[in-house]
């Protein structure tokens, strides 16, 4: 991308006022997005984004700047301008850059940039037809196709010099059903760290059919009762509750500042023995995976909670300084415009011993959350409020009628402690996670599990 000699000069300029660490992040990204609504391609956008981020540490000072001027003069000027914010005292040394070879963990068969627009639209039209034909009450189907091809180069004053290629592909399907004056919607959005082969090989009957099935099912749903119930949360995207209410609390972004209920609790019992919580960026071709993080460190499998015991956090390079520990390959950013920090990749509750049938049959009166919707969480306290996209009443150990308007309300740390059943059917769901370093592709996952009690907000009293 840029000559190594220029990068070395930029790293040196960044340390000119006394910093003790400097870093350059170079990004070249290609993005394609297509939207199909009411059988027509409404929007098709292709773009390229190129830029450089420069970061400087001096003790616990952290300065970040970025530019799209990739001339040597422009880069050195940006580095020196950022260095002016450093209040000296450091003795930064530039170590010789040693190029590292990244061993790819993802198989990419078809780079999206090489695939014709018509082939992408053809898949969308097929999914559209499947979703529309599911039921006559499906009145509208919307699809969004996205692919990204990102090339990064990361170099720092400690001698790191590494390049990586990241490829993401996703197809999001939303169906809307109407009956009289009532309207309900269903959504499914599979994605992967993979090329166009992922899109062409999708089981569209399943994904498009599910989006429409959810919408139609919710048309006939009863109002959800309010109260405290045992709640069965299904696998895959059901893990979004623990991603939001627990995962963010295990990122050094909050832990290092003691803004987390999990801060300073390593070795403590924070969940039942049946709960093991993992963040693993090394899973091949998964949506949230990376070969290296955005500081150039290899990603890894980080066991955060093991058999109920808090074992570790997700830590980036700067917050490792705050915490006097080592980074865990967990640093991420949306683009060169963002200062990186600790973020999740593929975060999930490991499978347990119970079968889904056992979990349901042992629940006399509760709520079954098949698909989760959106929600809100306070990262400092873990308090959350999540909508359930598809819910059912569980009665006498059997799934009963569908329910609408279900909301789960609670505290992540407390909910974690009340997990009393963990299934054996682990699955992952693709989503986007927003935080201080931007919006990132992440997987959330879990097997089916049961929480002994959650406050359920509904549209009628218990």
């Amino acid at each position: 991308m840029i000559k190594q000699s220029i990068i070395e000069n930029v790293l040196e300029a960044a340390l000119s006022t006394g910093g003790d660490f400097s870093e350059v992040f170079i990004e070249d990204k290609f993005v394609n997005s297509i939207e199909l609504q009411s059988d027509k391609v409404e929007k098709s956008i292709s773009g390229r984004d190129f830029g450089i981020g420069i970061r400087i540490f001096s003790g616990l000072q952290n300065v970040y700047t970025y530019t799209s001027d990739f001339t040597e003069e422009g880069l050195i000027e940006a580095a020196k301008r950022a260095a002016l914010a450093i209040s000296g005292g450091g003795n930064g040394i530039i170590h010789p850059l040693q190029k590292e070879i990244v061993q790819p963990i993802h198989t990419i068969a078809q780079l999206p940039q090489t695939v014709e627009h018509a082939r992408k639209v053809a898949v969308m039209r097929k999914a559209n037809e499947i979703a529309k034909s599911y039921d006559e009450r499906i009145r509208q189907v919307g699809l969004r196709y996205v692919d990204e091809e990102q090339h990064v180069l990361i170099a720092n004053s400690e001698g790191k010099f590494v390049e990586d290629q990241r490829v993401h592909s996703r197809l999001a399907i939303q169906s809307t059903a109407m009956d009289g004056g009532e309207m309900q919607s269903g959504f499914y959005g599979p994605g992967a760290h993979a090329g166009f082969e992922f899109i062409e090989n999708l089981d569209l009957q399943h994904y498009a059919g599910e989006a429409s099935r959810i919408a139609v099912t919710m048309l006939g749903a009863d109002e959800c009762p309010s109260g405290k119930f045992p709640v069965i949360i299904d696998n895959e995207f059901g893990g979004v509750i623990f991603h939001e209410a627990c995962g963010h609390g295990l990122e050094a972004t909050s832990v290092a500042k003691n803004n987390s209920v999990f801060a300073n609790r390593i070795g403590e019992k924070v969940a039942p023995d049946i709960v093991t919580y993992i963040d693993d960026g090394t899973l091949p071709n998964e949506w949230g995976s990376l070969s290296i993080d955005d500081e150039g460190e290899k990603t890894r499998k980080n066991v955060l909670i093991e058999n109920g015991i808090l074992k570790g956090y997700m830590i980036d390079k700067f917050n490792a300084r705050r915490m006097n520990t080592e980074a865990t390959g967990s640093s991420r950013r949306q683009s060169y415009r963002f200062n990186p920090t600790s973020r999740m990749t593929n975060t999930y509750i490991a499978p347990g011993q119970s079968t889904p049938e056992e979990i349901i049959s042992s629940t006399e009166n509760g709520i079954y959350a098949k698909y989760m919707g959106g929600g809100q969480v306070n990262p400092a306290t873990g308090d959350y409020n999540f909508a359930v996209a598809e819910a059912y009443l569980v009665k006498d150990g059997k799934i009963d009628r569908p329910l609408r308007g279900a909301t789960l309300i609670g505290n992540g740390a407390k909910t974690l402690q009340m997990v009393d059943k963990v299934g054996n059917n682990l699955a992952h769901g693709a989503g986007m996670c927003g935080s201080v370093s931007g919006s990132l592709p992440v997987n959330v996952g879990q097997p089916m599990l049961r929480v002994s009690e959650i406050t359920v907000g509904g549209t009628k009293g218990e």
Side-chain angles (χ1 to χ4, degrees):
M1 291 180 180
I2 296 177
K3 289 182 180 179
Q4 182 171 324
S5 60
I6 295 176
I7 293 172
E8 290 171 340
N9 291 339
V10 173
L11 291 171
E12 186 173 0
L15 297 182
S16 60
T17 61
D20 58 58
F21 172 85
S22 59
E23 175 194 76
V24 171
F25 177 88
I26 305 171
E27 176 185 30
D28 191 7
K29 181 163 63 177
F30 300 84
V31 181
N32 296 290
S33 174
I34 307 170
E35 293 184 15
L36 189 149
Q37 294 280 348
S38 302
D39 303 330
K40 297 180 181 179
V41 175
E42 296 286 349
K43 188 183 295 185
S44 180
I45 300 174
S46 296
R48 182 180 184 182
D49 198 13
F50 182 90
I52 301 98
I54 301 169
R55 187 165 61 149
I56 311 168
F57 296 167
S58 179
L60 294 182
Q61 287 182 286
N62 181 349
V63 176
Y64 190 75
T65 190
Y66 62 87
T67 180
S68 56
D69 181 351
F70 53 90
T71 65
E72 183 170 8
E73 296 78 11
L75 288 170
I76 289 176
E77 180 184 350
K80 287 183 175 180
R81 191 166 56 243
L84 292 175
I86 293 292
S87 57
N91 57 347
I93 299 172
I94 303 296
H95 295 271
L97 298 181
Q98 302 291 327
K99 187 166 184 178
E100 301 176 29
I101 304 299
V102 175
Q103 297 298 328
I105 60 175
H106 312 288
T107 300
I108 309 295
Q110 295 184 75
L111 290 173
Q113 294 297 319
T114 67
V115 177
E116 300 88 351
H117 180 270
R119 284 177 63 193
K120 299 173 182 179
V121 173
V123 175
M124 299 177 73
R125 291 195 183 283
K126 183 177 180 181
N128 178 69
E129 187 58 35
I130 292 169
K132 276 181 55 182
S133 62
Y134 179 84
D135 189 284
E136 62 183 9
R137 289 168 289 181
I138 297 295
R139 300 298 174 82
Q140 186 174 6
V141 177
L143 295 102
R144 184 168 186 249
Y145 165 90
V146 177
D147 65 54
E148 290 187 357
E149 186 176 326
Q150 181 195 42
H151 303 263
V152 300
L153 187 156
I154 303 162
N156 66 37
S157 57
E158 295 175 346
K160 182 172 290 296
F161 187 94
V162 60
E163 296 181 73
D164 192 24
Q165 179 188 50
R166 293 93 174 259
V167 179
H168 288 92
S169 301
R170 192 181 192 195
L171 182 65
I173 307 160
Q174 180 158 318
S175 295
T176 302
M178 295 186 67
D179 191 0
E182 185 184 352
M183 182 171 65
Q184 295 288 337
S185 63
F187 174 85
Y188 223 136
H193 189 137
F196 188 68
E197 69 280 359
F198 171 76
I199 300 296
E200 280 199 317
N201 293 328
L202 280 174
D203 182 353
L204 296 179
Q205 290 289 343
H206 169 68
Y207 291 111
E210 275 293 274
S212 292
R213 186 197 59 76
I214 295 167
V216 171
T217 299
M218 289 297 100
L219 280 177
D222 290 347
E223 294 181 348
C224 182
S226 300
K228 294 183 178 180
F229 298 92
V231 175
I232 299 167
I233 306 173
D234 213 342
N235 64 355
E236 198 174 325
F237 203 72
V240 69
I241 284 185
F242 297 99
H243 164 96
E244 293 288 358
C246 299
H248 282 297
L250 293 167
E251 294 169 334
T253 311
S254 57
V255 173
K257 298 177 181 178
N258 290 320
N259 290 334
S260 167
V261 293
F262 296 107
N264 303 309
R265 296 184 64 188
I266 296 294
E268 288 188 24
K269 187 84 168 176
V270 296
D273 293 347
I274 56 175
V275 173
T276 292
Y277 196 45
I278 296 167
D279 184 85
D280 189 353
T282 71
L283 300 175
N285 291 111
E286 289 293 346
W287 176 244
S289 292
L290 298 163
S291 297
I292 58 171
D293 74 357
D294 286 331
E295 293 174 337
E297 299 298 322
K298 290 181 180 179
T299 55
R300 63 190 74 173
K301 180 178 181 179
N302 291 307
V303 179
L304 307 171
I305 299 170
E306 185 174 29
N307 300 327
I309 305 297
L310 182 60
K311 292 290 187 177
Y313 306 113
M314 292 164 281
I315 307 170
D316 61 284
K317 195 174 189 69
F318 182 69
N319 281 306
R321 291 187 170 207
R322 293 179 182 272
M323 299 168 67
N324 193 29
T325 187
E326 298 295 323
T328 61
S330 304
S331 184
R332 301 187 68 189
R333 61 182 112 193
Q334 179 178 325
S335 73
Y336 70 90
R337 296 181 177 86
F338 291 83
N339 195 353
T341 191
S342 55
R343 300 289 296 275
M344 287 172 272
T345 56
N346 307 300
T347 313
Y348 60 94
I349 291 178
Q353 300 299 317
S354 299
T355 66
E357 294 77 16
E358 290 168 350
I359 295 173
I360 294 167
S361 64
S362 63
T363 306
E364 291 186 9
N365 183 41
I367 304 295
Y368 167 43
K370 182 170 178 59
Y371 286 117
M372 296 300 303
Q376 297 177 336
V377 64
N378 181 332
T381 64
D383 293 336
Y384 65 79
N385 184 315
F386 277 92
V388 183
E390 182 180 3
Y392 295 84
L393 181 68
V394 179
K395 188 174 181 180
D396 298 326
K398 295 180 181 179
I399 295 175
D400 199 68
R401 60 189 184 275
L403 303 171
R404 73 177 72 179
T407 303
L408 305 184
I409 304 164
N411 176 274
K414 292 180 180 177
T415 299
L416 196 64
Q417 293 171 345
M418 299 179 76
V419 174
D420 64 1
K421 296 279 186 182
V422 177
N424 58 5
N425 59 337
L426 171 65
H428 297 271
M432 298 299 294
C433 175
S435 188
V436 291
S437 63
S439 180
L440 298 169
V442 297
N443 263 8
V444 299
Q446 65 177 42
M448 179 187 282
L449 57 79
R450 187 177 70 187
V451 180
S452 61
E453 184 180 276
I454 298 182
T455 297
V456 178
T459 50
K460 69 176 183 178
E462 184 178 3

